[in-house]
Amino acid sequence: MTPDIHIIGGGLAGSEAAWQLARRGLRVRLSEMRGTGERSPAHQGDGLAELVCSNSFRSDDDEKNAVGLLHHEMRGCDSLIMAAAAVAQVPAGSALAVDRDVFSAEVEARLSALPNLQIVRERIDTLPAAGLTVVATGPLTAEALAHSIGAATGADSLAFFDAIAPIVYHDSIDMDVCWMASRWDKGETKDYINCPMNRDQYLAFHTGLIEGEKTAFKEWEANTPYFDGCMPIEVMAERGVDTLRFGPMKPVGLDDPRTGRWPHAVVQLRQDNKLGTLWNMVGFQTKLKHAEQVRLFRTIPGLENAEFARLGGLHRNTFLNSPVLLDRQLRLKTAPHVRFAGQITGCEGYVESAAVGLLAGLMTAAEATGREWQAPPRTSALGALLAHITGDAEADSYQPMNVNFGLFPPLHDVKKKQRKEAYTDRAKTDIAPWLAEVRA
Ligand SMILES: Cc1cc2nc3c(=O)[nH]c(=O)nc-3n(C[C@H](O)[C@H](O)[C@H](O)COP(=O)(O)OP(=O)(O)OC[C@H]3O[C@@H](n4cnc5c(N)ncnc54)[C@H](O)[C@@H]3O)c2cc1C
């Protein structure tokens, strides 16, 4: 069989993309390196769509939760991953959790039943020079292909580790305490939100960083080369009580308008998306446990009620600087026959990876059959995630991101307590015609 489309990687994204394409009658070759004796450091078996860690697809609440909404929209697109999850579901309250073996077997069985889909156990080492291709090789893309992608995109555009600083929803920051300014008032605009700390607050915070419980590196992550450029804040704190005040918490050049003086230390937040709804804690990449981050970061003046769209972390993770490299259809701008899907695009999580695989499948199907691609509405979970990856995120601070309501066009007029339902109501209304088209 001569394939119309070559998909590389049979994880969550590649399997979903293959399903969407083959079900539309296209001939697909799905290349998966596991099954040849090759394994990523995290995968344990050879089954397609293996869940490498938890067995949860997170909240299934489509009325108040962004990932639950994404489930809903994916089901509306006849998602393979959602259908297999339904078969493999195990009790987990309002979360959607699965028996991972049943889940993977179900994905593989459904794909294997498609006559125009060929599953080939092979490792691909170079980006194909021609032909419609979807690369879905995930956060642990095999080395030779990663180098080929690096060569095609530029060394600085493919990261091998994420160094995630927490992201805060703008409307949860107390702007009576914080103020907008750039250091030394440089530039026309006041670009940073500044949270001032006095000496006692800083010392308590410093102790909290040192004593806070941290997540250990996995064995295969231990010798990470990022420490030079992206040191976790707790490691900086261990180097001396004032190290942070000369690093990310430097107060110089930042006059607090309430005192007219520089505070003892400052935490700065920088805008993280074009909508201005998400703000990144500058230089705050950390291995502190998530609960510890929430507790400690809420001691920062102005962040007492902070809601976090993302918490900090450091992991091995291969991902592209997608907002710069990919067009709005997930195609590599310099080689548009190649599309990327899944976590390698800089989305984060099983569900998001599958969702971007689903979108890549639909886009490639449209391209292969000469139809015009219509993106899902920007107000939907699929649309918000896609827009973030393909241009709306700030490219300078681009790091993997889960779906969250901060990616949606804001609804300032709706009371805060009712906003989650308002986001999901709007999304469901707006995406209904698009879903009908997809299923037609
Ligand atoms: C250690 C770890 C733990 C994680 N835990 C969670 C979690 O608990 N919950 C969560 O929601 N997300 C988690 N993630 C994040 C992410 O959601 C998953 O990694 C998810 O599986 C990504 O989906 P994907 O399809 O993009 O990649 P994958 O599911 O990893 O699929 C990529 C596939 O490509 C194959 N492949 C790689 N290179 C080649 C090549 N050159 N040729 C052919 N095949 C190749 C791989 O064998 C793999 O099957 C975790 C990530 C890691 C690394």
Side-chain angles (χ1 to χ4, degrees):
M1 176 182 90
T2 312
D4 301 307
I5 292 116
H6 186 188
I7 299 179
I8 310 174
L12 290 154
S15 298
E16 182 70 54
W19 172 255
Q20 295 294 341
L21 282 158
R23 293 238 304 162
R24 286 171 172 77
L26 292 150
R27 289 166 306 191
V28 178
R29 180 185 186 96
L30 176 60
S31 301
E32 168 52 54
M33 73 174 181
R34 287 176 296 115
T36 62
E38 295 275 346
R39 291 259 165 89
S40 85
H43 288 86
Q44 306 281 317
D46 294 336
L48 298 181
E50 178 180 327
L51 304 181
V52 288
C53 189
S54 106
N55 65 333
S56 173
F57 290 114
R58 317 202 312 276
S59 173
D60 203 27
D61 173 0
D62 64 8
E63 286 174 6
K64 285 193 182 164
N65 189 288
V67 80
L69 177 65
L70 192 55
H71 293 174
H72 167 85
E73 294 177 6
M74 290 171 73
R75 287 181 183 120
C77 299
D78 296 324
S79 158
L80 167 67
I81 295 302
M82 284 297 119
V87 172
Q89 189 164 6
V90 295
S94 60
L96 174 59
V98 297
D99 175 316
R100 67 185 71 233
D101 296 328
V102 176
F103 170 75
S104 169
E106 185 67 23
V107 168
E108 191 145 346
R110 288 186 187 223
L111 288 177
S112 303
L114 296 170
N116 47 331
L117 172 67
Q118 195 183 13
I119 301 168
V120 186
R121 301 296 180 155
E122 60 182 352
R123 196 188 70 206
I124 304 295
D125 287 344
T126 48
L127 278 181
L132 286 178
T133 304
V134 178
V135 180
T137 45
L140 302 168
T141 294
E143 201 176 338
L145 183 63
H147 284 118
S148 174
I149 297 169
T153 56
D156 294 343
S157 300
L158 182 70
F160 291 94
F161 292 92
D162 56 33
I164 296 180
I167 290 196
V168 182
Y169 290 110
H170 184 267
D171 61 7
S172 69
I173 301 172
D174 185 350
M175 292 307 291
D176 290 336
V177 175
C178 307
W179 80 101
M180 300 286 307
S182 294
R183 206 176 293 281
W184 304 115
D185 278 334
K186 273 194 186 146
E188 298 285 291
T189 50
K190 299 176 188 300
D191 289 340
Y192 290 83
I193 294 177
N194 298 282
C195 311
M197 272 189 183
N198 64 30
R199 188 166 181 277
D200 289 346
Q201 288 164 334
Y202 174 77
L203 291 176
F205 184 73
H206 180 265
T207 306
L209 284 176
I210 304 249
E211 291 178 355
E213 215 185 328
K214 284 102 192 167
T215 311
F217 282 109
K218 296 195 175 59
E219 200 186 321
W220 44 274
E221 290 180 317
N223 298 322
T224 49
Y226 50 68
F227 277 112
D228 296 343
C230 281
M231 196 182 290
I233 42 164
E234 60 275 11
V235 176
M236 271 186 258
E238 276 163 14
R239 298 203 165 175
V241 72
D242 280 327
T243 306
L244 284 167
R245 293 206 319 121
F246 289 96
M249 297 179 73
K250 189 162 64 177
V252 296
L254 291 167
D255 295 330
D256 184 338
R258 289 170 311 171
T259 62
R261 303 178 53 183
W262 301 345
H264 188 72
V266 171
V267 175
Q268 290 198 299
L269 293 98
R270 185 175 51 219
Q271 190 170 331
D272 203 72
N273 65 342
K274 289 203 166 68
L275 298 171
T277 49
L278 301 174
W279 288 70
N280 189 313
M281 295 175 70
V282 180
F284 265 54
Q285 54 277 357
T286 174
K287 289 287 275 184
L288 282 175
K289 290 213 159 152
H290 281 182
E292 197 74 355
Q293 291 185 39
V294 173
R295 189 193 62 72
L296 189 61
F297 297 155
R298 284 190 181 151
T299 67
I300 297 169
L303 301 189
E304 292 87 350
N305 297 310
E307 294 294 333
F308 296 90
R310 184 179 79 187
L311 286 159
L314 288 122
H315 309 98
R316 185 166 153 203
N317 193 351
T318 311
F319 66 98
L320 296 164
N321 192 348
S322 297
V324 174
L325 294 172
L326 304 186
D327 69 9
R328 291 286 185 184
Q329 283 201 45
L330 298 166
R331 289 176 296 211
L332 196 57
K333 287 177 187 164
T334 52
H337 64 288
V338 179
R339 233 180 210 99
F340 283 87
Q343 183 131 339
I344 197 168
T345 64
C347 65
E348 168 78 33
Y350 299 146
V351 185
E352 290 83 346
S353 298
V356 177
L358 186 152
L359 289 168
L362 294 178
M363 289 165 179
T364 311
E367 188 169 342
T369 53
R371 279 179 300 113
E372 200 186 329
W373 161 250
Q374 289 291 338
R378 182 74 182 74
T379 48
S380 65
L382 283 167
L385 188 61
L386 179 65
H388 182 76
I389 293 168
T390 57
D392 286 10
E394 287 300 326
D396 291 348
S397 56
Y398 190 63
Q399 291 288 330
M401 179 66 106
N402 284 129
V403 69
N404 65 77
F405 289 126
L407 305 182
F408 291 58
L411 282 166
H412 294 305
D413 298 344
V414 179
K415 283 204 183 108
K416 217 170 158 188
K417 275 195 169 159
Q418 289 148 8
R419 243 178 242 166
K420 290 179 179 169
E421 283 101 325
Y423 281 126
T424 59
D425 282 351
R426 180 181 65 177
K428 286 177 185 170
T429 306
D430 290 357
I431 203 170
W434 186 86
L435 291 176
E437 275 289 308
V438 166
R439 283 195 304 266

